[in-house]
């Protein structure tokens, strides 16, 4: 069967930890979208592994697959594989031949265009993700399979590179170098293709996964980012360039929708809200200079609110895995979660970082929005409308700081009563049971209520 792991908010919900948690029962873990902008941290045997491309399951000895919906930077891929090997692991990573390749000119143009967009900048990691997806949609991309065929690779580069060079030089008035040199790119990426071939890493993703399922193996499908960063269902234009939602799992792997739909779809929820980048955030606490619209660091959002935001940010380690940027934080946003539950069809929830909120006298939730004088329970269709929404809050009594390791060992009933009330509210509102509760960064610091593979 399949289990699909989906971020329900704006990314950084702790998906990698949940993949790791349920990883024992999975034989294959496949990423279905995104690229090396998708930082996730996995703690295994006391060791912390920070990955941006390799699927989380590879740390636990599972087969990791980068699906056709991913965009792949071979340099990042091999750097991560080599680093894991140096640390004593032997990752088995396969790459879909239909996945698209991030090339140096994509990264260069990502930085240029992000600067030019100014107020419409999405706060990207400037790793070439968006421009690669643009070329995919424009039918001028280079795919992993092309790296294995010298003639095809040369043909693709000779077609696309002059266009990119002209864009950088003539439109943006920028100097270009090796990133836009056909011969340099050809030589470099042929070497990557040769290594992919030598190590037997490339696969026809859909066929590979279906054969595993037919053989009785369990497959986990791992999304990057979160639902509200989905190119179709998120807060456009402050979004990623692919579909993190559950529908992306079928398109981005080649498995049929009935295969994915017959399995479990687990929504990962952070017990509060965080994000990197610009755009509205109705439940935001305080602000981060350079990311929050109209944020004035001299005025802030009130001393108490700033202090609370800093406390949650520090307790939760809310700094980007890939970039180190401080994340914006806010209270849980239920309209956002209701939107995610509908778009993904969650069969279960994993709620992380419940421990981060411990010790607060009061925990708030944005239960609904007030939008043009009316109460609404889900996100409006446009980001401009979302920016006009004001959160209507519901308050919960806080819960104490406890021995969370003991709680994880003792089970759900050991979670402080007020925290359970909070969790049950979320479950009721989303009409999905809580499968797991994260109470710390380690795999053993999770209260497991249900195992989706059992």
């Amino acid at each position: 069967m399949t289990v699909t792991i989906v971020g329900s908010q704006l990314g950084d919900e702790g998906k990698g930890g949940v993949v790791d948690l349920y990883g024992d029962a999975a034989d294959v873990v496949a990423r279905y979208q995104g690229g090396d902008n998708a930082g996730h941290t996995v703690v295994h045997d006391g060791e912390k592994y920070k990955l941006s491309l390799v699927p989380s399951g590879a740390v636990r000895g599972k087969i990791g697959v980068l699906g056709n919906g991913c965009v792949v930077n071979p340099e990042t891929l091999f750097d991560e594989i080599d680093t894991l090997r140096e640390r004593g692991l032997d990752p088995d990573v396969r790459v879909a031949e239909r996945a698209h390749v991030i090339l140096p000119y994509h990264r260069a143009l990502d930085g240029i265009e992000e600067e030019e967009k100014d107020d419409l900048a999405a706060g990207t990691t400037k790793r070439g993700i968006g421009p690669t997806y643009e070329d995919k949609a424009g039918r001028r991309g280079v795919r992993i399979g092309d790296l294995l065929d010298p003639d095809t690779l040369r043909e693709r580069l000779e077609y696309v590179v002059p266009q990119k060079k002209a864009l950088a030089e003539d439109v943006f008035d920028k100097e270009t170098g090796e990133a836009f040199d056909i011969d340099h790119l050809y030589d470099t990426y042929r070497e990557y293709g040769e290594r992919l071939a030598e190590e037997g890493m490339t696969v026809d993703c859909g066929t590979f996964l279906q054969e595993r399922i037919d053989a009785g193996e369990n497959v986990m499908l791992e999304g990057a980012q979160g639902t509200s960063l989905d190119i179709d269902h998120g807060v456009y234009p402050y979004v990623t360039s692919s579909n993190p939602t559950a529908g992306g799992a079928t398109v981005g792997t080649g498995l049929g929708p009935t295969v994915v739909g017959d399995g479990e779809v687990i929504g990962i929820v952070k017990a509060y809200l965080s994000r990197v980048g610009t755009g509205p955030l109705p439940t935001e606490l305080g602000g981060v200079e350079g990311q929050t619209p109209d944020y004035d660091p001299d005025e802030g959002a009130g001393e108490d609110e700033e202090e609370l935001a800093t406390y949650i940010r520090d307790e939760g380690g809310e700094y980007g895995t890939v970039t180190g940027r401080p994340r914006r934080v806010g209270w849980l946003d239920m309209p956002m979660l209701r939107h995610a539950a509908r778009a993904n069809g969650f069969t279960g929830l994993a709620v992380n970082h419940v421990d981060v909120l411990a010790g607060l006298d009061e925990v708030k939730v944005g239960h609904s929005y007030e939008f043009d004088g009316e109460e609404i329970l889900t996100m409006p269709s446009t980001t401009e409308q979302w920016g006009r929404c004001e959160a209507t809050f519901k308050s919960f009594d806080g819960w104490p700081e406890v021995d969370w390791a003991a709680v994880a060992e003792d089970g759900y009933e050991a979670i402080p009563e007020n925290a359970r009330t909070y969790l049950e509210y979320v479950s009721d509102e989303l009409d999905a049971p809580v499968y797991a509760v994260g109470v710390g960064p380690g795999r053993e610091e999770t209260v497991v209520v249900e195992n989706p593979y059992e």
Side-chain angles (χ1 to χ4, degrees):
M1 67 170 294
T2 66
V3 171
T4 303
I5 303 296
V6 182
S8 65
Q9 294 154 307
L10 289 151
D12 308 318
E13 301 96 346
K15 297 177 292 297
V18 176
V19 172
D20 189 47
L21 171 69
Y22 292 128
D24 280 343
D27 301 289
V28 181
V29 178
R31 280 268 311 273
Y32 59 82
Q33 47 77 227
D36 58 343
N37 59 336
H40 44 264
T41 302
V42 177
V43 180
H44 175 51
D45 287 344
E47 291 283 319
K48 185 179 288 187
Y49 300 91
K50 291 190 175 184
L51 305 171
S52 59
L53 187 58
V54 170
S56 309
V59 171
R60 300 194 54 76
K62 309 300 179 179
I63 297 174
V65 180
L66 296 173
N68 57 275
C70 294
V71 289
V72 180
N73 184 330
E75 180 181 359
T76 303
L77 174 63
F78 289 126
D79 281 349
E80 290 192 2
I81 289 174
D82 291 343
T83 298
L84 291 173
R85 286 174 177 168
E86 288 168 5
R87 296 180 66 178
L89 300 179
D90 186 22
D92 183 351
V93 180
R94 315 297 176 90
V95 188
E97 292 182 359
R98 290 183 171 93
H100 279 248
V101 180
I102 299 172
L103 287 119
Y105 54 77
H106 291 129
R107 295 170 67 101
L109 288 168
D110 198 358
I112 293 170
E113 292 186 27
E114 191 74 354
E115 291 172 8
E116 293 290 328
K117 286 177 182 175
D118 197 17
D119 289 344
L120 289 177
T124 80
T125 55
K126 301 180 183 178
R127 291 176 175 247
I129 311 299
T132 307
Y133 278 115
E134 285 183 45
D135 281 355
K136 174 180 178 176
R139 299 178 295 279
R140 54 180 174 269
V142 175
R143 303 201 293 181
I144 288 292
D146 299 334
L147 303 186
L148 310 181
D149 182 336
D151 292 338
T152 300
L153 177 60
R154 171 68 72 171
E155 181 183 340
R156 296 277 191 270
L157 292 173
E158 288 181 348
Y159 172 72
V160 71
V161 172
Q163 298 178 35
K164 302 302 178 182
K165 188 177 177 70
L167 179 62
E169 293 178 346
D170 300 341
V171 176
F172 293 117
D173 196 27
K174 303 292 184 181
E175 293 184 6
T176 57
E178 285 186 339
F180 297 83
D181 181 86
I182 293 174
D183 290 335
H184 172 74
L185 294 171
Y186 175 80
D187 291 341
T188 302
Y189 282 78
R190 266 301 294 144
E191 286 187 18
Y192 290 138
E194 288 169 358
R195 180 170 175 182
L196 288 166
E198 288 169 4
E199 299 192 19
M201 293 175 63
T202 63
V203 294
D204 177 345
C205 185
T207 299
F208 178 81
L209 295 177
Q210 189 63 58
E211 287 176 348
R212 296 281 172 165
I213 293 169
D214 291 344
E217 295 186 7
N218 289 327
V219 173
M220 182 170 283
L221 308 177
E222 178 184 8
Q225 291 91 35
T227 298
S228 286
L229 295 178
D230 187 287
I231 186 71
D232 288 303
H233 304 290
V235 290
Y236 190 91
Y238 309 107
V239 291
T240 194
S241 303
S242 56
N243 294 110
T245 41
T250 181
V251 176
T253 61
L255 292 173
T258 51
V259 175
V260 175
D262 282 344
E264 296 265 10
V265 179
I266 301 177
I268 315 305
V269 179
K270 184 175 284 185
Y272 50 93
L273 192 61
S274 73
R275 81 157 298 172
V276 168
T278 52
L281 207 61
T283 64
E284 183 167 16
L285 285 162
V288 175
E289 185 175 2
Q291 296 188 52
T292 308
D294 303 321
Y295 176 68
D296 185 337
D298 296 323
E299 294 183 9
E303 187 175 337
D304 291 344
E305 194 171 294
E306 281 293 332
E307 191 174 313
L308 179 57
T310 300
Y311 173 81
I312 293 174
R313 187 177 297 116
D314 290 345
E315 287 293 307
E318 293 298 339
Y319 298 89
T321 301
V322 172
T323 63
R325 289 184 293 184
R327 298 177 185 136
R328 298 161 63 189
V329 297
W331 296 119
L332 197 66
D333 187 318
M334 288 308 302
M336 178 183 291
L337 290 179
R338 294 188 192 99
H339 171 70
R342 177 199 52 75
N344 293 288
F346 295 143
T347 59
L349 306 171
V351 185
N352 288 323
H353 282 9
V354 170
D355 56 305
V356 171
L357 300 179
L360 299 179
D361 293 333
E362 178 186 44
V363 174
K364 292 184 178 181
V365 171
H367 176 77
S368 60
Y369 297 146
E370 183 180 327
F371 175 63
D372 290 351
E374 295 184 13
E375 182 186 44
I376 60 173
L377 296 176
T378 189
M379 296 176 72
S381 297
T382 73
T383 303
E384 289 70 26
Q385 291 172 336
W386 193 45
R388 300 208 308 269
C389 290
E390 292 188 10
T392 301
F393 290 98
K394 181 180 178 68
S395 295
F396 292 82
D397 291 333
W399 47 90
E401 186 67 68
V402 295
D403 183 345
W404 292 106
V407 167
E409 189 173 328
D410 294 341
Y412 185 79
E413 293 303 319
I415 296 173
E417 182 179 359
N418 289 347
R420 279 186 278 126
T421 299
Y422 184 80
L423 291 166
E424 286 152 17
Y425 160 79
V426 174
S427 176
D428 290 344
E429 289 293 322
L430 303 186
D431 194 26
V434 173
Y435 279 9
V437 182
V439 294
R443 180 171 178 261
E444 69 283 355
E445 296 173 286
T446 304
V447 177
V448 180
V449 183
E450 295 280 347
N451 187 328
Y453 285 113
E454 293 178 353

